[in-house]
């Protein structure tokens, strides 16, 4: 900065000094402006230098990555070239293998044609190893046979005889297998019909049993278990109709048990074919009412039989009253045996 003092200067230079001071003032302002611009430029330079430093560092990093990428690319290219070379070798081997396969197929076709000229093709599940062993055994037997005195014609004749016998046996086995399959099918059909018939028989026996019980006012049913070979009889002897509970026959009285047994036998007779039907002492434990109803049931069952079977009933009870009620009944009464009383 420049400072001028006008004291002591002559008046004639007063105007020039004022003008110079004005210029100095303008120049001082310009100097200040230039200083500020210089500072700003210096600051921008420093910032630019810092950015250049970061850019240089980034460029170095990018260069390093580029070199690494070039190195990896070179390695990949080398690997690719090796794979291309390996692929080319494999293609050559593939073509060679295909040519060998075609040659083997031609050889197999030729060998098959020659084999079929000797004998027809036979289907077998045996492995090639077993067949080769059999061929070796046959060749050994042929070689041993050629050393004997047996002629080739004799061997050929025996071969054809054995072959004919084998074919006959093979035909017989085939027929037996077919016969066995037919028998198995028939057996399954008969078994199915048997189970169906057995089921229907059980239903019909139960139906006739219920109908026979109803003549006395009883209700009940038969439970047939074929798997366990059991026959369960359930009865309800309450004729008043106040109870629907069924009981086992073991809990019944002797007469009720005998009557239920006769009902069951009559149910069986409805499903059986026999020229004679006999009952022995069926009314021993019956009271007069049960005996009369049972005899009525037996007589009605006998007279309603369309095939006119003969019924024979054995009883120690008096049968004189029944001949008047039913026709075509013949009663044979035996005399009482003599018994010796001992004191």
């Amino acid at each position: 900065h420049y400072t001028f003092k006008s004291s002591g200067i002559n008046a004639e230079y007063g105007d020039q000094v004022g003008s110079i001071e004005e210029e100095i003032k303008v120049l001082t302002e310009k100097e200040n402006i230039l200083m500020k611009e210089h500072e700003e430029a210096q600051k921008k330079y420093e910032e630019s230098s810092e950015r250049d430093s970061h850019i240089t560092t980034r460029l170095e990093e990018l260069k390093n990555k580029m070199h690494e990428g070039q190195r990896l690319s070179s390695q990949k290219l080398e690997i690719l070239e090796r794979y291309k070379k390996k692929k080319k070798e494999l293609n050559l081997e593939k073509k060679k293998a295909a040519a060998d396969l075609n040659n083997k197929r031609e050889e197999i076709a030729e060998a098959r044609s020659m084999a079929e000229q000797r004998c027809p093709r036979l289907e077998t599940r045996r492995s090639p190893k077993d067949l080769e062993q059999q061929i070796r055994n046959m060749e050994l037997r042929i070689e041993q046979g050629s050393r004997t005195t047996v002629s080739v014609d004799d061997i050929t004749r025996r071969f054809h005889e054995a072959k004919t016998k084998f074919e006959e046996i093979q035909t017989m086995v085939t027929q037996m297998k077919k016969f066995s399959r037919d028998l198995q099918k028939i057996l399954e059909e008969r078994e199915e019909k048997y189970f169906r018939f057995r089921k229907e028989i059980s239903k019909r026996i139960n139906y006739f049993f219920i109908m026979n019980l109803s003549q006395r006012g009883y209700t009940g049913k038969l439970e047939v278990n074929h798997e366990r070979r059991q026959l369960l009889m359930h009865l309800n002897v309450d004729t008043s109709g106040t109870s629907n509970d069924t009981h086992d026959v073991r809990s019944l009285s002797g007469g009720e048990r005998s009557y239920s047994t006769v009902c069951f036998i009559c149910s069986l007779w409805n499903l059986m074919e026999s020229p004679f039907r006999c009952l022995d002492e069926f009314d021993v434990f019956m009271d007069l009412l049960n005996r009369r109803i049972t005899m009525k049931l037996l007589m009605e069952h006998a007279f309603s039989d369309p095939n006119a079977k003969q019924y024979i009933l054995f009883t120690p009870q008096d049968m004189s009253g029944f001949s008047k009620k039913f026709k075509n009944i013949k009663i044979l009464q035996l005399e009482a045996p003599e018994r010796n009383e001992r004191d």
Side-chain angles (χ1 to χ4, degrees):
H1 300 280
Y2 297 93
T3 306
F4 295 93
K5 297 180 178 180
S6 58
S7 61
I9 301 175
N10 295 327
E12 58 187 59
Y13 298 103
D15 295 334
Q16 294 179 359
V17 170
S19 177
I20 291 170
E21 287 178 352
E22 291 292 332
E23 291 179 359
I24 290 172
K25 187 177 179 180
V26 171
L27 291 172
T28 302
E29 291 177 357
K30 290 182 177 181
E31 182 182 4
N32 291 332
I33 292 170
L34 291 174
M35 288 296 291
K36 289 181 180 180
E37 290 179 355
H38 175 72
E39 291 175 357
E40 291 177 359
Q42 183 67 29
K43 186 177 180 180
K44 289 181 179 180
Y45 173 75
E46 291 176 356
E47 292 176 356
S48 176
S49 298
E50 186 177 358
R51 285 196 302 270
D52 291 342
S53 176
H54 288 299
I55 291 172
T56 303
T57 303
R58 183 60 178 168
L59 287 174
E60 290 296 329
E61 292 177 355
L62 292 175
K63 286 181 181 180
N64 292 332
K65 290 183 178 180
M66 183 180 68
H67 292 312
E68 181 67 20
Q70 290 176 351
R71 185 179 64 81
L72 294 175
S73 179
S74 299
Q75 292 179 355
K76 298 294 183 183
L77 289 174
E78 291 177 359
I79 294 172
L80 180 60
E81 291 297 328
R82 288 200 299 270
Y83 278 124
K84 286 182 178 180
K85 184 178 179 180
K86 186 66 176 178
K87 181 180 179 182
K88 186 176 180 180
E89 294 175 355
L90 292 175
N91 288 332
L92 293 175
E93 292 179 359
K94 181 179 177 181
K95 291 180 180 179
K96 184 179 178 181
D100 293 340
L101 178 62
N102 291 330
N103 293 333
K104 293 296 182 183
R105 286 177 176 173
E106 292 177 358
E107 292 177 0
I108 292 172
E110 184 178 358
R112 181 180 296 174
S113 176
M114 294 177 62
E116 290 178 350
Q117 292 178 1
R118 294 177 177 269
C119 64
R121 180 181 177 85
L122 298 177
E123 297 295 335
T124 181
R125 296 182 179 179
R126 300 176 61 183
S127 62
K129 185 176 180 181
D130 294 339
L131 295 175
E132 291 176 357
Q133 182 64 36
Q134 184 179 3
I135 291 172
R136 286 194 293 268
N137 294 335
M138 294 297 294
E139 291 176 348
L140 181 61
R141 292 179 61 183
I142 291 172
E143 183 180 355
Q144 292 176 353
S146 62
R147 298 175 183 176
T148 61
T149 57
V150 181
S151 63
V152 177
D153 295 335
D154 191 12
I155 294 175
T156 304
R157 180 181 57 78
R158 291 180 182 179
F159 167 74
H160 287 296
E161 290 177 355
K163 183 180 179 181
T164 302
K165 188 175 181 180
F166 170 75
E167 291 175 352
E168 292 176 355
I169 295 174
Q170 192 174 25
T171 303
M172 186 182 300
V173 170
T174 303
Q175 293 175 353
M176 291 298 294
K177 287 182 178 179
K178 183 179 181 301
F179 181 67
S180 176
R181 289 193 298 268
D182 294 340
L183 284 180
Q184 182 65 28
K185 184 178 180 181
I186 294 172
L187 178 62
E188 292 174 357
E189 292 177 354
R190 289 174 64 89
E191 188 176 21
E192 181 182 359
K193 292 179 180 179
Y194 164 73
F195 287 123
R196 188 166 61 248
F197 178 74
R198 187 178 67 177
K199 184 177 180 181
E200 293 298 326
I201 289 294
S202 300
K203 290 182 179 179
R204 294 187 64 185
I205 289 178
N206 187 42
Y207 169 75
F208 288 121
F209 181 70
I210 294 173
M211 296 298 296
N212 293 331
L213 287 178
S214 64
Q215 296 189 22
R216 182 68 177 86
Y218 296 163
T219 59
K221 65 177 181 178
L222 292 176
E223 183 180 344
V224 183
N225 191 329
H226 296 287
E227 286 73 18
R228 296 183 179 180
R229 298 177 179 270
Q230 291 181 350
L231 176 64
L232 302 179
M233 189 181 300
H234 303 281
L235 278 82
N236 182 4
V237 296
D238 184 11
T239 58
S240 62
T242 59
S243 176
N244 294 326
D245 297 334
T246 58
H247 305 279
D248 188 80
V249 292
R250 290 173 293 184
S251 62
L252 302 177
S253 65
E256 293 169 343
R257 190 184 306 173
S258 299
Y259 178 76
S260 61
T261 303
V262 172
C263 291
F264 173 67
I265 292 174
C266 290
S267 302
L268 290 177
W269 283 349
N270 287 321
L271 302 174
M272 295 172 59
E273 292 296 333
S274 175
F276 300 99
R277 292 179 176 177
C278 303
L279 279 181
D280 183 20
E281 296 186 355
F282 59 92
D283 55 350
V284 174
F285 300 102
M286 293 184 183
D287 56 15
L288 184 60
L289 178 61
N290 283 324
R291 183 168 180 266
R292 184 173 64 251
I293 295 174
T294 301
M295 289 302 301
K296 180 182 177 183
L297 174 65
L298 290 172
M299 295 300 106
E300 290 177 352
H301 187 277
F303 287 112
S304 64
D305 191 348
N307 296 322
K309 299 179 178 64
Q310 185 175 4
Y311 288 76
I312 304 173
L313 306 179
F314 298 92
T315 176
Q317 306 292 339
D318 183 20
M319 297 290 292
S320 59
F322 288 96
S323 61
K324 300 177 181 179
K325 296 181 180 180
F326 300 98
K327 297 179 180 181
N328 299 328
I329 294 178
K330 186 175 182 180
I331 299 177
L332 301 177
Q333 186 173 0
L334 301 180
E335 296 181 359
E338 296 181 359
R339 303 182 183 274
N340 297 324
E341 294 182 359
R342 296 181 180 180
D343 296 336

